[in-house]
Structure formats: C-alpha cells, structure tokens
Amino acid sequence: FQYQLGRMPSAEDKALIIETLLAVDKALDDLGSRTKRIFMLSQIEGLTYQQIALELKVSLTTVKKHMIRAFTECSLLMAQMS
C-alpha cells in the first residue's frame, strides 16, 4: 500500500488498511488492556510518555516497557503481513 497526497485510496487499498488496523487492534488486545491503553494514549492521543505516566499513576519506566512490548508486537505483525 502506498498513499499519494491528493489521491484517494482505491477500494483494495482501503480493504488492506482496514485489515491492517484490525490486526493491530487484535495484537494490542492480546498484550493486555494496560499496554493497549498506553499505546493508544501515545500514538492516537499524542501524549508524551511522561504525561501518560502521570495520568495513569505509573512510573516512566513502566510506560516505556509497555511501549516496547506494543511496538515489538506491531513490528512482528507487520513483518508477517508483508
């Protein structure tokens, strides 16, 4: 899948995007609710690791540990899908 600015994705591209997002969502679910929450706060809501630690009342090290797990799982998933 390659997105070009100003061009709408084809139906095939949209299907691939949805499939990928669903696979990532499932992979994060499999890692547990805390890892998924931390990942979403960082990647979707744009919070820094420090902000996440303060919001969830956990250490910065805990946030980093969960992000490493999430990114590792996403990387493995992307490698399997390609």
Side-chain angles (χ1 to χ4, degrees):
F1 166 74
Q2 287 189 330
Y3 177 75
Q4 294 177 346
L5 189 59
R7 180 182 77 81
M8 294 298 295
S10 67
E12 183 179 315
D13 287 343
K14 287 179 186 179
L16 182 59
I17 290 167
I18 291 169
E19 177 185 341
T20 301
L21 289 173
L22 290 172
V24 168
D25 188 55
K26 178 169 180 348
L28 292 174
D29 279 346
D30 291 346
L31 288 176
S33 61
R34 178 172 276 186
T35 300
K36 183 175 183 176
R37 174 99 172 110
I38 289 171
F39 183 82
M40 299 298 274
L41 287 171
S42 171
Q43 299 303 300
I44 305 299
E45 296 187 28
L47 272 61
T48 65
Y49 289 5
Q50 185 65 46
Q51 290 170 321
I52 295 167
L54 290 172
E55 182 171 321
L56 299 181
K57 297 177 177 60
V58 298
S59 70
L60 184 58
T61 301
T62 296
V63 173
K64 290 178 181 179
K65 178 185 77 171
H66 285 280
M67 288 301 295
I68 289 168
R69 291 166 95 195
F71 279 126
T72 299
E73 185 63 28
C74 288
S75 294
L76 292 171
L77 177 65
M78 297 310 292
Q80 290 173 353
M81 293 183 81
S82 59

